[in-house]
Amino acid sequence: MVFGLLKDIKNGEYRTIATPGEIATIVADGHTALVQRGAGATAGFADEAYEKAGAKLVDTMEEIYAQCDFVTKVKELEPCEFPLLREGQIIFTCIHPAAHPEEVQAILDSKCIAFTAEDCHRYGSPNCEAAGKQGALFGLESMLSINGGKGKFVSGLGGAPAMNVLILGGGTVGQAALSVLYALGARVTLMDINIGLLRTTQRQYQERIDTMLCTKENIAALLPQTDMVLNCVKWPKGRHDFLIDRKMLRLMEKGSVIVDISNDDDGAIESFHETTHENPRYIEEGVVHYCVSNIPGAIANSTSIAYAASVIPHFRSILNNGIAEACARDGFLRRALTAYKGYLTHEETSALQNRPWVRPEDILGIADRQLDQASPATVTRSDNKLPLEQVKL
């Protein structure tokens, strides 16, 4: 196949999804690799390094889309890319399809084969780890008096206490944030709905953190003594309640900080609205909010290396084995299949956008095989299934 690496064009995006190391591996497998000039520059990977790895450099995204069988980058497709999609072309990027109906429609109209990268990670996304760790540090930066915060130092000083930090959600993001804040000396409470996870985490930290069941009532009880809240909860799309509503902000001291790492409209924090690295903070009810949607982009080199390492097995499996075989071998890749030649194959998107969908294993003709299994990517279910006899490929 001809593999194409695009330069990301989303504002504030500095990462790349493939470093020269992954390009060398793809070329060694016998494929051709095209790389758009500057694709890795802001992450610290020069064009010359890609050339040395065996890639051919091209100037424009139009050339990548026109010449490549497999096209990849980090973030969502921008409207200027929609007309460039081709039937049968493989697209692998963070589509976030449930939240982007226009992008989904363009993908379906083009009849391309699209994978949403955020759903493909068996061991949790490196971007989630990066967001948790760096989000914790941005939270500490937001606590500074010069940024509107109350001016507390994370581990305290002689005669002055450490910060009290509340982490909502103990998944990959929350665990990553916890590792940083604990190491720096914060007094941390972790909340989750999984008692087993809380028990295991408390043992991991030698009983030196507090854990609680994540409920709105428990959060409200802690907020008056909490200096910083990190929201790491993947809030189900379509819910209209909140873990922290605007009234609850008044329970917090002025200059306290909320870092919404999960960063969703209609998410767990009612007062959330997305910010950028250029203007990362705003204040509501005296509480500093840090709501940058692309925290991992601030550590583009490290995140790119970790991210590329996590997806290169998927790239190689698709390139070397084809779509059907790759999806049969890996359930996490299969659940990431978003659209196949004009048909939606992503359950959450079906439910939230009221579109009919087809299970990936059905449209790929592998349902009767022994398949690698994966848990659903989200709790959202859809019964709006298109009968297989209506699928015309």
Side-chain angles (χ1 to χ4, degrees):
M1 287 192 191
V2 181
F3 176 91
L5 176 63
L6 287 164
K7 178 181 178 180
D8 270 83
I9 56 176
K10 183 173 182 175
N11 181 40
E13 182 52 67
Y14 303 101
R15 293 168 292 175
T16 182
I17 199 169
T19 75
E22 286 71 45
I23 294 298
T25 297
I26 289 166
V27 171
D29 282 346
H31 305 287
T32 300
L34 272 57
V35 174
Q36 187 180 352
R37 291 185 189 277
T42 52
F45 304 105
D47 288 342
E48 292 76 16
Y50 285 104
E51 274 193 307
K52 188 175 180 181
K56 175 188 174 184
L57 298 179
V58 299
D59 293 321
T60 66
M61 66 179 178
E62 286 82 1
E63 291 172 277
I64 294 287
Y65 278 109
Q67 298 180 47
C68 296
D69 307 302
F70 186 123
V71 176
T72 188
K73 62 172 187 168
V74 175
K75 294 301 286 182
E76 302 92 351
L77 300 172
E78 298 289 332
C80 62
E81 297 173 85
F82 296 169
L84 303 177
L85 300 170
R86 294 187 289 109
E87 183 173 353
Q89 188 172 54
I90 301 165
I91 306 296
F92 192 106
T93 191
C94 285
I95 299 169
H96 299 290
H100 295 97
E102 293 178 0
E103 184 183 22
V104 170
Q105 190 61 55
I107 288 169
L108 294 174
D109 289 344
S110 73
K111 296 186 178 181
C112 72
I113 302 166
F115 289 89
T116 188
E118 67 273 13
D119 287 348
C120 78
H121 303 287
R122 185 177 294 270
Y123 305 107
S125 171
N127 293 306
C128 292
E129 180 187 3
K133 289 182 173 179
Q134 187 59 46
L137 297 179
F138 280 136
L140 299 181
E141 183 184 27
S142 301
M143 179 60 66
L144 299 177
S145 303
I146 56 176
N147 289 322
K150 62 172 70 171
K152 294 188 76 169
F153 186 67
V154 56
S155 62
L157 303 171
M163 284 172 52
N164 293 316
V165 178
L166 173 59
I167 298 176
L168 306 179
T172 303
V173 178
Q175 293 286 342
L178 172 59
S179 70
V180 168
L181 292 165
Y182 177 84
L184 292 175
R187 296 173 177 170
V188 182
T189 299
L190 175 68
M191 285 192 181
D192 200 274
I193 59 173
N194 184 332
I195 297 297
L197 180 146
L198 295 178
R199 186 180 296 128
T200 300
T201 304
Q202 198 163 22
R203 282 200 219 103
Q204 179 185 343
Y205 286 91
Q206 296 82 46
E207 317 294 335
R208 292 174 183 165
I209 65 167
D210 291 327
T211 59
M212 293 180 70
L213 187 68
C214 190
T215 67
K216 193 168 184 175
E217 293 72 25
N218 282 344
I219 294 169
L222 287 191
L223 285 183
Q225 297 84 41
T226 297
D227 301 306
M228 182 168 74
V229 177
L230 286 84
N231 176 39
C232 308
V233 173
K234 188 173 183 179
W235 201 240
K237 290 180 172 62
R239 285 188 64 160
H240 301 294
D241 56 336
F242 307 98
L243 283 178
I244 298 179
D245 59 36
R246 281 195 170 84
K247 290 189 298 183
M248 293 169 68
L249 299 181
R250 299 169 198 156
L251 299 172
M252 303 179 75
E253 290 184 352
K254 304 299 183 187
S256 298
V257 172
I258 291 178
V259 182
D260 196 344
I261 301 177
S262 289
N263 210 267
D264 277 327
D265 289 313
D266 297 323
I269 309 295
E270 184 178 15
S271 50
F272 162 84
H273 67 76
E274 185 177 342
T275 61
T276 65
H277 289 296
E278 291 75 23
N279 187 20
R281 283 171 281 269
Y282 60 91
I283 297 175
E284 279 202 27
E285 299 289 344
V287 176
V288 181
H289 290 60
Y290 184 95
C291 300
V292 172
S293 64
N294 184 20
I295 291 173
I299 49 171
N301 180 267
S302 292
T303 308
S304 295
I305 293 171
Y307 192 20
S310 74
V311 296
I312 185 62
H314 291 319
F315 289 176
R316 295 185 74 194
S317 188
I318 293 169
L319 291 166
N320 296 337
N321 303 313
I323 297 290
E325 184 63 27
C327 287
R329 294 183 182 190
D330 195 309
F332 287 83
L333 179 64
R334 189 169 66 251
R335 77 179 193 182
L337 185 64
T338 300
Y340 188 83
K341 298 184 179 180
Y343 295 95
L344 181 69
T345 54
H346 195 261
E347 185 172 13
E348 182 189 36
T349 303
S350 168
L352 296 180
Q353 296 181 16
N354 194 29
R355 298 177 187 264
W357 74 297
V358 185
R359 293 193 314 159
E361 52 266 47
D362 291 331
I363 202 165
L364 294 174
I366 57 175
D368 59 347
R369 292 185 51 180
Q370 187 72 31
L371 302 177
D372 177 67
Q373 295 301 315
S375 58
T378 72
V379 299
T380 307
R381 305 273 76 85
S382 172
D383 294 323
N384 188 6
K385 291 181 181 177
L386 185 70
L388 198 56
E389 56 269 20
Q390 294 184 23
V391 174
K392 308 296 181 185
L393 294 176

